[in-house]
Amino acid sequence: MAELKLGKLPDRTPVKLSITITPDLQAALQDYAAIYATTYGVQEPVAELIPAMLSAFLDSDRSFARIREAQRSKS
């Protein structure tokens, strides 16, 4: 079998998640969306920003990454 530089793409099937948040968090998310629009000149709904925000948070948490990797290598 040929060795390609690009590996097999991961599952990209969207998963819907419903959550309940506090009014303070909703206000902060709305403020973030407004600042995002001012910064980039593009209005994005909060629901579109949240997945990127969560990914950025998880990607920046080095302790989480270390523990997750250790757990994966055990299995």
Side-chain angles (χ1 to χ4, degrees):
M1 184 183 292
E3 296 257 348
L4 299 177
K5 203 156 195 98
L6 178 66
K8 184 177 178 187
L9 295 178
D11 183 8
R12 295 176 313 275
T13 305
V15 176
K16 186 166 179 99
L17 176 67
S18 296
I19 63 169
T20 302
I21 60 174
T22 63
D24 288 346
L25 180 54
Q26 173 63 17
L29 289 169
Q30 292 293 339
D31 291 344
Y32 191 95
I35 294 167
Y36 180 95
T38 300
T39 302
Y40 296 111
V42 178
Q43 287 191 329
E44 295 287 354
V46 169
E48 295 292 324
L49 294 173
I50 290 173
M53 295 166 83
L54 289 171
S55 288
F57 174 81
L58 292 174
D59 289 346
S60 69
D61 189 329
R62 300 313 337 145
S63 292
F64 168 70
R66 267 193 313 278
I67 294 166
R68 187 179 193 204
E69 184 59 34
Q71 288 177 345
R72 283 183 174 177
S73 63
K74 286 181 183 178
S75 47

